[in-house]
Every structure is written in structure tokens, then in C-alpha cells.
Coordinates of all heavy atoms in Angstrom, one line a residue:
M1 N 51.0 120.4 83.7 CA 52.3 120.5 84.2 C 52.3 120.4 85.7 O 51.6 121.0 86.3 CB 52.9 121.8 83.8 CG 53.2 122.0 82.3 SD 54.6 121.1 81.8 CE 56.0 122.3 82.1
P2 N 53.4 119.5 86.2 CA 53.6 119.5 87.6 C 53.9 120.8 88.2 O 54.7 121.5 87.5 CB 54.5 118.5 88.0 CG 55.3 118.3 86.6 CD 54.4 118.7 85.6
V3 N 53.4 121.2 89.4 CA 54.0 122.4 90.0 C 55.2 122.1 90.8 O 55.3 121.2 91.6 CB 52.8 122.9 90.9 CG1 53.4 124.3 91.7 CG2 51.6 123.2 90.2
I4 N 56.2 122.9 90.6 CA 57.5 122.8 91.3 C 57.4 123.6 92.6 O 57.2 124.8 92.6 CB 58.6 123.3 90.5 CG1 58.8 122.5 89.2 CG2 60.0 123.2 91.4 CD1 59.9 123.0 88.3
S5 N 57.3 122.8 93.7 CA 57.0 123.5 95.0 C 58.2 124.4 95.3 O 59.3 124.1 94.9 CB 56.8 122.5 96.0 OG 57.9 121.6 96.2
E6 N 58.0 125.3 96.2 CA 59.0 126.2 96.6 C 59.9 125.6 97.6 O 59.4 124.8 98.4 CB 58.3 127.6 97.2 CG 59.1 128.7 97.1 CD 58.2 129.9 97.1 OE1 57.3 130.0 96.3 OE2 58.5 130.9 97.9
R7 N 61.1 126.0 97.5 CA 62.1 125.4 98.5 C 61.9 125.9 99.9 O 61.7 127.2 100.2 CB 63.6 125.8 98.0 CG 64.6 125.1 98.6 CD 66.0 125.8 98.2 NE 66.4 125.4 97.0 CZ 66.9 124.1 96.6 NH1 67.2 123.4 97.6 NH2 67.4 123.9 95.5
T8 N 61.9 125.0 100.8 CA 61.7 125.5 102.2 C 63.0 125.4 103.1 O 63.0 125.9 104.1 CB 60.6 124.7 102.9 OG1 60.9 123.3 102.7 CG2 59.2 124.9 102.3
T9 N 63.9 124.7 102.5 CA 65.2 124.6 103.2 C 66.3 125.0 102.3 O 66.1 125.2 101.1 CB 65.5 123.0 103.5 OG1 65.5 122.3 102.4 CG2 64.6 122.5 104.5
D10 N 67.5 125.4 103.0 CA 68.6 125.9 102.2 C 69.1 124.8 101.4 O 69.1 123.6 101.8 CB 69.7 126.4 103.1 CG 69.3 127.8 103.8 OD1 68.4 128.4 103.1 OD2 69.7 128.1 104.9
P11 N 69.6 125.1 100.2 CA 70.2 124.2 99.4 C 71.5 123.6 100.1 O 72.1 124.3 100.9 CB 70.7 124.8 98.0 CG 70.7 126.2 98.4 CD 69.6 126.4 99.6
P12 N 72.0 122.5 99.9 CA 73.2 121.8 100.6 C 74.3 122.7 100.2 O 74.5 123.3 99.0 CB 73.3 120.5 100.0 CG 72.5 120.4 98.8 CD 71.4 121.4 98.9
K13 N 75.3 122.8 101.1 CA 76.5 123.6 101.0 C 77.4 122.8 99.8 O 77.3 121.7 99.7 CB 77.3 123.6 102.1 CG 76.7 124.5 103.3 CD 77.1 125.8 103.2 CE 76.4 126.7 104.4 NZ 75.1 126.9 104.3
P14 N 78.0 123.7 99.0 CA 78.8 122.9 98.0 C 79.8 122.0 98.6 O 80.3 122.3 99.7 CB 79.5 124.2 97.2 CG 79.1 125.3 98.0 CD 78.1 125.1 98.9
E15 N 80.1 121.1 97.9 CA 81.2 120.0 98.4 C 82.4 120.6 98.8 O 83.1 120.1 99.7 CB 81.4 118.9 97.2 CG 80.7 117.5 97.5 CD 81.2 116.8 98.6 OE1 82.3 116.3 98.5 OE2 80.6 116.8 99.7
S16 N 82.8 121.5 98.0 CA 84.3 121.8 98.1 C 84.7 123.2 98.6 O 84.5 124.2 98.0 CB 84.8 121.7 96.6 OG 85.9 122.5 96.5
P17 N 84.9 123.3 99.9 CA 85.4 124.5 100.6 C 87.0 124.6 100.1 O 87.6 125.6 100.5 CB 85.3 124.2 102.0 CG 85.5 122.8 102.2 CD 85.1 122.0 100.9
V18 N 87.4 123.7 99.4 CA 88.9 123.6 99.2 C 89.5 124.8 98.5 O 90.6 125.2 98.8 CB 89.3 122.3 98.4 CG1 90.7 122.2 98.0 CG2 88.9 121.0 99.3
A19 N 88.7 125.5 97.6 CA 89.3 126.6 96.9 C 89.6 127.7 97.9 O 90.6 128.5 97.5 CB 88.3 127.1 95.9
D20 N 89.0 127.7 99.0 CA 89.3 128.8 100.0 C 90.5 128.4 101.0 O 90.9 129.3 101.7 CB 88.1 129.0 101.0 CG 86.8 129.3 100.1 OD1 86.9 129.8 99.0 OD2 85.7 129.0 100.6
V21 N 91.0 127.3 100.9 CA 92.0 126.8 101.8 C 93.4 127.3 101.3 O 93.8 126.9 100.1 CB 91.9 125.3 102.0 CG1 93.1 124.8 102.9 CG2 90.7 124.8 102.5
K22 N 94.1 127.9 102.1 CA 95.4 128.3 101.9 C 96.4 127.2 102.2 O 96.5 126.8 103.3 CB 95.9 129.6 102.6 CG 97.0 130.3 102.2 CD 97.2 131.6 102.9 CE 98.5 132.2 102.9 NZ 99.5 131.4 103.7
P23 N 97.1 126.6 101.2 CA 97.9 125.4 101.6 C 98.9 125.8 102.6 O 99.6 126.9 102.6 CB 98.6 125.2 100.2 CG 97.7 125.8 99.1 CD 97.2 127.0 99.8
D24 N 99.1 124.8 103.5 CA 99.9 125.2 104.6 C 100.9 123.9 104.8 O 100.4 122.9 105.3 CB 99.2 125.4 106.0 CG 100.2 125.7 107.1 OD1 101.3 125.2 107.3 OD2 99.7 126.6 108.0
I25 N 102.3 124.1 104.5 CA 103.2 123.0 104.4 C 103.4 122.5 105.8 O 103.7 121.3 105.9 CB 104.5 123.5 103.7 CG1 104.1 123.7 102.2 CG2 105.5 122.5 103.8 CD1 105.2 124.3 101.4
V26 N 103.4 123.3 106.8 CA 103.7 122.8 108.1 C 102.5 121.8 108.7 O 102.8 120.8 109.2 CB 103.8 124.0 109.2 CG1 104.0 123.6 110.5 CG2 104.9 124.9 108.7
I27 N 101.3 122.2 108.4 CA 100.1 121.4 108.6 C 100.3 120.2 107.9 O 100.1 119.0 108.3 CB 98.8 122.1 108.5 CG1 98.5 123.3 109.4 CG2 97.7 121.0 108.6 CD1 97.4 124.0 109.1
G28 N 100.6 120.4 106.6 CA 100.7 119.2 105.6 C 101.8 118.1 106.1 O 101.5 116.9 106.0
Q29 N 102.9 118.7 106.7 CA 103.9 117.7 107.1 C 103.4 116.9 108.3 O 103.6 115.7 108.4 CB 105.2 118.4 107.5 CG 106.3 117.5 108.1 CD 107.6 118.2 108.3 OE1 107.6 119.3 108.5 NE2 108.6 117.4 108.2
R30 N 102.6 117.5 109.2 CA 102.0 116.8 110.4 C 101.1 115.7 109.9 O 101.1 114.7 110.4 CB 101.4 117.9 111.2 CG 101.2 117.3 112.7 CD 100.9 118.3 113.6 NE 99.6 119.3 113.3 CZ 99.7 120.5 113.3 NH1 100.6 121.3 113.6 NH2 98.5 121.0 113.0
V31 N 100.1 116.1 108.9 CA 99.2 115.2 108.5 C 100.0 114.0 107.8 O 99.6 112.7 108.0 CB 98.2 115.8 107.4 CG1 97.4 114.8 106.9 CG2 97.4 117.0 108.2
F32 N 100.9 114.3 107.0 CA 101.7 113.3 106.2 C 102.4 112.3 107.3 O 102.2 111.1 107.2 CB 102.7 114.0 105.4 CG 103.7 113.0 104.6 CD1 103.2 112.7 103.3 CD2 104.9 112.8 105.0 CE1 104.1 111.9 102.7 CE2 105.9 112.1 104.3 CZ 105.3 111.6 103.1
T33 N 103.0 112.8 108.2 CA 103.7 112.0 109.2 C 102.8 111.1 109.9 O 103.1 109.9 110.2 CB 104.6 113.0 110.2 OG1 105.3 113.9 109.4 CG2 105.4 112.2 111.1
N34 N 101.6 111.7 110.3 CA 100.7 111.0 111.0 C 100.0 109.9 110.2 O 99.7 108.8 110.8 CB 99.8 111.9 111.8 CG 100.5 112.6 112.9 OD1 101.5 112.2 113.5 ND2 99.8 113.8 113.2
Q35 N 99.5 110.3 109.1 CA 98.5 109.5 108.4 C 99.1 108.6 107.3 O 98.5 107.6 107.0 CB 97.5 110.4 107.7 CG 96.8 111.5 108.5 CD 96.0 110.7 109.6 OE1 95.2 109.8 109.2 NE2 96.0 111.1 110.9
C36 N 100.3 109.0 106.9 CA 100.9 108.1 105.8 C 101.9 107.2 106.3 O 102.6 106.5 105.5 CB 101.6 109.1 104.8 SG 100.4 110.3 104.1
S37 N 101.9 106.9 107.5 CA 102.8 105.9 108.1 C 102.0 104.8 108.8 O 102.5 104.0 109.5 CB 103.7 106.6 109.1 OG 103.1 107.1 110.2
K38 N 100.6 104.8 108.5 CA 99.7 103.9 109.2 C 99.9 102.4 108.7 O 99.7 101.6 109.3 CB 98.3 104.4 109.1 CG 98.0 105.6 110.1 CD 96.5 105.7 110.3 CE 95.9 106.2 109.0 NZ 94.5 106.7 109.3
C39 N 100.0 102.4 107.3 CA 100.0 101.1 106.7 C 101.4 100.7 106.2 O 101.6 99.6 105.8 CB 99.1 101.2 105.4 SG 97.5 101.7 105.9
H40 N 102.4 101.7 106.1 CA 103.7 101.4 105.5 C 104.6 102.4 106.0 O 104.2 103.3 106.6 CB 103.7 101.3 104.0 CG 102.9 102.5 103.3 ND1 103.4 103.8 103.6 CD2 101.9 102.5 102.5 CE1 102.5 104.5 102.9 NE2 101.6 103.8 102.3
D41 N 105.9 102.1 106.0 CA 106.8 103.2 106.4 C 106.6 104.5 105.6 O 106.0 104.5 104.5 CB 108.3 102.8 106.0 CG 108.8 101.7 107.0 OD1 108.1 101.4 108.0 OD2 109.7 101.1 106.6
L42 N 106.9 105.6 106.3 CA 106.6 106.9 105.8 C 107.4 107.1 104.5 O 108.6 106.8 104.5 CB 107.0 107.9 106.7 CG 106.5 109.3 106.6 CD1 104.9 109.3 106.7 CD2 107.1 110.3 107.6
P43 N 106.7 107.2 103.3 CA 107.5 107.4 102.1 C 108.4 108.7 102.1 O 108.0 109.7 102.9 CB 106.5 107.4 101.1 CG 105.2 107.8 101.7 CD 105.3 107.4 103.2
D44 N 109.3 108.8 101.3 CA 110.1 109.9 101.2 C 109.6 110.8 100.0 O 109.6 110.3 98.9 CB 111.6 109.6 100.9 CG 112.5 110.7 100.7 OD1 112.1 111.9 100.8 OD2 113.8 110.5 100.5
P45 N 109.1 112.0 100.3 CA 108.5 112.8 99.2 C 109.6 113.0 98.0 O 109.1 113.1 96.9 CB 108.4 114.2 99.9 CG 108.2 113.8 101.4 CD 109.1 112.7 101.6
A46 N 110.9 113.0 98.4 CA 111.8 113.2 97.3 C 112.0 112.0 96.3 O 112.8 112.1 95.4 CB 113.2 113.6 97.9
K47 N 111.3 110.9 96.6 CA 111.5 109.7 95.8 C 110.7 109.9 94.5 O 111.0 109.3 93.5 CB 110.8 108.6 96.7 CG 111.4 107.3 96.1 CD 111.0 106.2 97.0 CE 111.3 104.7 96.4 NZ 110.5 103.7 97.1
Y48 N 109.7 110.7 94.4 CA 108.9 110.8 93.1 C 108.8 112.2 92.8 O 108.8 113.2 93.6 CB 107.5 110.2 93.4 CG 107.5 108.9 93.9 CD1 107.3 108.7 95.2 CD2 107.7 107.8 93.2 CE1 107.2 107.4 95.9 CE2 107.7 106.5 93.7 CZ 107.4 106.4 95.0 OH 107.3 105.0 95.5
N49 N 108.5 112.5 91.5 CA 108.2 113.9 91.1 C 106.8 114.3 91.3 O 106.0 113.3 91.6 CB 108.7 114.1 89.6 CG 108.0 113.2 88.6 OD1 106.8 112.8 88.9 ND2 108.5 113.0 87.5
T50 N 106.4 115.5 91.1 CA 105.1 116.0 91.4 C 104.0 115.1 90.5 O 102.9 114.9 91.0 CB 104.8 117.5 91.2 OG1 105.3 117.8 89.8 CG2 105.6 118.2 92.1
E51 N 104.4 114.8 89.3 CA 103.4 114.1 88.5 C 103.2 112.7 89.1 O 101.9 112.3 89.0 CB 104.0 114.0 87.0 CG 103.0 113.8 86.0 CD 103.8 113.8 84.6 OE1 104.4 114.9 84.3 OE2 103.8 112.9 83.9
R52 N 104.1 112.1 89.5 CA 103.9 110.7 90.1 C 103.2 110.8 91.4 O 102.2 110.0 91.6 CB 105.3 110.1 90.2 CG 105.9 109.4 89.2 CD 105.4 108.0 89.0 NE 106.0 107.0 89.8 CZ 105.3 106.0 90.5 NH1 104.0 106.1 90.5 NH2 106.0 105.2 91.2
W53 N 103.5 111.8 92.0 CA 102.7 112.1 93.4 C 101.3 112.3 93.2 O 100.5 111.8 94.0 CB 103.4 113.1 94.2 CG 104.5 112.8 95.1 CD1 105.7 113.2 95.0 CD2 104.4 111.9 96.1 NE1 106.5 112.5 96.0 CE2 105.7 111.8 96.7 CE3 103.4 111.1 96.7 CZ2 106.0 110.8 97.9 CZ3 103.6 110.3 97.7 CH2 104.9 110.1 98.2
D54 N 100.9 113.0 92.2 CA 99.5 113.3 91.8 C 98.8 111.9 91.7 O 97.7 111.7 92.4 CB 99.3 114.0 90.5 CG 99.4 115.5 90.6 OD1 99.0 116.0 91.8 OD2 99.7 116.2 89.6
G55 N 99.3 110.9 91.1 CA 98.7 109.6 90.9 C 98.6 108.9 92.2 O 97.7 108.3 92.5
I56 N 99.8 109.0 92.9 CA 99.9 108.3 94.2 C 98.9 108.8 95.2 O 98.2 108.1 95.9 CB 101.3 108.3 94.8 CG1 102.3 107.5 93.8 CG2 101.4 107.7 96.2 CD1 103.6 107.8 94.1
L57 N 98.9 110.1 95.4 CA 98.0 110.8 96.4 C 96.5 110.5 96.0 O 95.7 110.4 96.9 CB 98.3 112.3 96.4 CG 99.6 112.6 97.0 CD1 99.9 114.1 96.8 CD2 99.8 112.1 98.5
R58 N 96.2 110.4 94.8 CA 94.8 110.2 94.4 C 94.3 108.8 95.0 O 93.1 108.8 95.4 CB 94.8 110.2 92.9 CG 93.3 110.4 92.4 CD 93.2 110.9 90.9 NE 94.1 110.3 90.1 CZ 95.0 111.2 89.3 NH1 95.0 112.5 89.4 NH2 95.9 110.6 88.4
T59 N 95.2 107.9 95.2 CA 94.7 106.6 95.8 C 95.1 106.7 97.2 O 94.1 106.0 98.0 CB 95.4 105.4 95.1 OG1 96.8 105.6 95.2 CG2 95.0 105.3 93.7
M60 N 96.1 107.3 97.7 CA 96.4 107.2 99.2 C 95.6 108.2 100.0 O 95.5 107.7 101.2 CB 98.0 107.5 99.2 CG 98.9 106.4 98.7 SD 98.6 104.8 99.5 CE 99.1 103.7 98.1
I61 N 95.3 109.2 99.6 CA 94.6 110.2 100.4 C 93.2 109.6 100.8 O 92.9 109.6 102.1 CB 94.5 111.5 99.8 CG1 95.8 112.2 99.9 CG2 93.4 112.4 100.3 CD1 96.0 113.6 99.2
P62 N 92.5 109.0 100.0 CA 91.2 108.4 100.4 C 91.4 107.2 101.4 O 90.8 107.1 102.3 CB 90.5 107.9 99.1 CG 91.2 108.7 98.0 CD 92.5 109.1 98.4
R63 N 92.5 106.4 101.1 CA 92.8 105.3 101.9 C 93.1 105.8 103.4 O 92.9 105.1 104.3 CB 94.1 104.6 101.4 CG 93.7 103.6 100.3 CD 94.9 102.7 100.1 NE 95.0 102.2 98.8 CZ 95.9 101.3 98.4 NH1 96.8 100.9 99.2 NH2 95.8 100.7 97.2
A64 N 93.8 106.9 103.4 CA 94.2 107.4 104.8 C 93.1 108.2 105.4 O 93.2 108.6 106.6 CB 95.5 108.3 104.6
G65 N 92.1 108.3 104.8 CA 91.0 109.1 105.3 C 91.2 110.5 105.7 O 90.6 111.1 106.6
I66 N 91.9 111.1 104.8 CA 92.4 112.6 105.1 C 91.3 113.5 104.6 O 90.6 113.2 103.6 CB 93.6 112.8 104.4 CG1 94.8 112.1 105.0 CG2 93.9 114.3 104.2 CD1 96.1 112.0 104.3
S67 N 90.9 114.5 105.3 CA 89.8 115.4 105.1 C 90.2 116.3 103.8 O 91.4 116.3 103.4 CB 89.5 116.4 106.1 OG 90.6 117.3 106.4
R68 N 89.2 116.8 103.2 CA 89.3 117.7 102.1 C 90.3 118.8 102.3 O 91.1 119.2 101.5 CB 88.1 118.2 101.5 CG 87.0 117.3 101.3 CD 86.8 116.6 99.9 NE 87.2 117.3 98.8 CZ 86.4 118.0 98.1 NH1 85.1 118.1 98.2 NH2 87.0 118.7 96.9
V69 N 90.2 119.4 103.5 CA 91.0 120.5 103.9 C 92.5 120.0 104.0 O 93.5 120.6 103.5 CB 90.6 121.1 105.1 CG1 91.5 122.3 105.6 CG2 89.2 121.8 104.8
N70 N 92.8 118.9 104.8 CA 94.0 118.4 104.9 C 94.6 117.9 103.7 O 95.9 117.9 103.6 CB 94.0 117.3 106.1 CG 94.0 118.0 107.5 OD1 94.4 119.1 107.6 ND2 93.6 117.3 108.5
E71 N 93.8 117.5 102.8 CA 94.3 117.1 101.5 C 95.1 118.2 100.8 O 96.2 117.9 100.1 CB 93.1 116.6 100.7 CG 93.5 116.3 99.2 CD 92.3 115.8 98.4 OE1 91.2 115.5 99.0 OE2 92.4 115.7 97.2
V72 N 94.6 119.4 100.9 CA 95.2 120.5 100.3 C 96.6 120.8 101.0 O 97.7 120.9 100.3 CB 94.4 121.8 100.5 CG1 95.1 123.1 100.1 CG2 93.1 121.7 99.7
H73 N 96.7 120.6 102.3 CA 97.9 120.8 103.0 C 98.9 119.7 102.8 O 100.1 119.9 102.4 CB 97.6 120.8 104.5 CG 96.7 121.9 104.9 ND1 96.8 123.1 104.4 CD2 95.7 122.0 105.8 CE1 95.8 124.0 104.9 NE2 95.2 123.2 105.8
V74 N 98.5 118.4 102.7 CA 99.4 117.3 102.5 C 100.0 117.3 101.1 O 101.2 117.1 100.9 CB 98.7 116.0 103.0 CG1 97.9 115.5 102.0 CG2 99.9 115.0 103.4
T75 N 99.0 117.7 100.1 CA 99.5 117.7 98.8 C 100.6 118.8 98.6 O 101.6 118.6 98.0 CB 98.4 118.1 97.9 OG1 97.4 117.0 98.1 CG2 98.7 118.1 96.5
A76 N 100.4 120.0 99.2 CA 101.4 121.1 99.2 C 102.6 120.6 99.8 O 103.7 121.0 99.2 CB 100.8 122.3 99.9
Y77 N 102.7 119.9 100.9 CA 103.8 119.6 101.6 C 104.7 118.6 100.8 O 105.8 118.7 100.6 CB 103.6 118.9 103.0 CG 104.7 118.1 103.5 CD1 105.9 118.8 103.9 CD2 104.8 116.7 103.4 CE1 107.0 118.2 104.5 CE2 106.0 116.0 103.9 CZ 107.0 116.8 104.4 OH 108.0 116.1 104.8
V78 N 104.0 117.5 100.2 CA 104.6 116.6 99.3 C 105.2 117.1 98.2 O 106.4 116.9 97.8 CB 103.6 115.3 99.0 CG1 104.2 114.5 98.0 CG2 103.2 114.6 100.3
K79 N 104.5 118.0 97.5 CA 105.0 118.5 96.3 C 106.1 119.6 96.5 O 107.1 119.6 95.6 CB 103.8 119.3 95.6 CG 102.9 118.3 95.0 CD 101.9 118.9 94.0 CE 101.1 117.8 93.3 NZ 100.1 118.4 92.3
A80 N 106.1 120.2 97.6 CA 107.1 121.1 97.9 C 108.5 120.4 98.2 O 109.6 121.0 98.0 CB 106.8 121.9 99.2
N81 N 108.3 119.1 98.5 CA 109.6 118.3 98.7 C 109.8 117.2 97.7 O 110.7 116.3 97.9 CB 109.4 117.7 100.1 CG 109.5 118.8 101.2 OD1 110.5 119.3 101.5 ND2 108.3 119.1 101.8
A82 N 109.0 117.2 96.6 CA 109.1 116.2 95.6 C 110.4 116.3 94.9 O 111.1 117.3 94.8 CB 107.9 116.3 94.6
K83 N 110.7 115.2 94.2 CA 111.8 115.1 93.3 C 111.6 116.2 92.1 O 110.6 116.2 91.5 CB 112.1 113.8 92.7 CG 113.4 113.4 91.9 CD 113.6 112.1 91.8 CE 112.8 111.5 90.7 NZ 113.2 110.1 90.5
S84 N 112.7 116.8 91.7 CA 112.5 117.9 90.6 C 112.7 117.1 89.2 O 113.9 117.2 88.7 CB 113.5 119.1 90.7 OG 114.7 118.5 91.1
N85 N 111.8 116.3 88.8 CA 111.8 115.4 87.6 C 113.0 114.7 87.3 O 114.0 114.5 88.0 CB 111.4 116.3 86.4 CG 109.8 116.5 86.4 OD1 109.0 115.6 86.3 ND2 109.5 117.8 86.6
Ligands
HEC1 C1 95.1 102.2 104.5 C2 96.5 102.0 104.3 C3 97.3 103.1 103.7 C4 97.5 104.3 104.0 C5 96.7 105.1 105.2 C6 98.4 104.9 103.1 N1 98.9 103.9 102.2 FE1 100.3 104.2 100.8 N2 100.1 102.3 100.4 C7 99.2 101.4 100.9 C8 99.4 100.2 100.1 C9 98.7 98.9 100.4 C10 100.4 100.3 99.2 C11 101.0 99.2 98.2 C12 100.5 99.7 96.7 C13 99.1 99.7 96.5 O1 98.3 98.8 97.0 O2 98.6 100.6 95.9 C14 100.8 101.7 99.2 C15 101.9 102.2 98.5 C16 102.3 103.5 98.7 C17 103.4 104.2 98.0 C18 104.2 103.4 96.8 C19 103.3 103.6 95.5 C20 103.8 103.2 94.3 O3 103.0 103.4 93.3 O4 104.9 102.6 94.2 C21 103.5 105.4 98.3 C22 104.5 106.4 97.7 C23 102.4 105.6 99.2 N3 101.8 104.5 99.5 C24 102.3 106.8 99.9 C25 101.3 107.1 100.8 C26 101.0 108.4 101.3 C27 101.6 109.7 100.9 C28 100.0 108.2 102.2 C29 99.3 109.4 103.1 C30 98.5 110.3 102.3 C31 99.6 106.8 102.3 N4 100.4 106.1 101.4 C32 98.7 106.3 103.2 C33 98.5 101.5 101.9 C34 98.2 102.8 102.6

């Protein structure tokens, strides 16, 4: 049996600090305004319901290069202002 050597460095930090982030709509609006107007006019959050936004943000957030933390904020902002179905 191969010997599993002992770990000499700390394991990598988990990918997701996101669970600890308290969504902040004010930060979210700033990120939205700055990052989501780079390629097209700023969309109106009230144009889509939260379900549609989930799908849209899944593709747009990576395109905009938004960090995991700001993703939490921008998602909160958009959903707080989304169309009510
Ligand atoms: C790198 C360029 C780029 C950035 C940054 C970007 N978008 Fe887009 N967006 C596009 C393109 C291109 C389209 C046209 C549809 C497609 O290709 O998916 C689009 C389409 C859209 C649409 C219409 C979607 C639909 O399904 O009708 C919405 C809403 C939208 N973007 C929201 C956002 C939001 C919110 C952000 C910020 C998180 C953002 N976009 C950032 C490029 C971008």
C-alpha cells in the first residue's frame, strides 16, 4: 500500500465565502449601475420577475466579471426591484 504523506500546508480555503455575506442592496445598486452598463444600456430590474433574473444573472454576472461577494449584492438589488410576476 502506498503511504499517504502527511499534509504540510493548509488545505485551500473553500471557494465560497458567499454564505457569510449579508446582501446589501445599496452596494448592489452601485455594482449594477457600474458593471451592467458596460456592454448595453442599463436594464430595468422591473422588466423581469425574479425567476427570469436568475437565468439572466447566471450568464451576465460572469460576463461582467463581478466578484462572488458583489454577486450577492447585485442579485439582492435586482430581485428587490424585480417585477412581481
Ligand atoms: C461583457 C458584456 C456584458 C456585460 C458586462 C453585461 N451584459 Fe447583459 N448582455 C450582453 C449581451 C451581448 C446581451 C445580448 C443577449 C445575449 O447575448 O445573451 C445581453 C443581454 C442582457 C439582457 C437581456 C437578456 C434577455 O434574455 O433578454 C439583460 C436583462 C442583461 N443583459 C442584463 C445584464 C446585467 C444585469 C448585467 C450586470 C450583471 C449585464 N447584463 C452585464 C452583454 C453583457
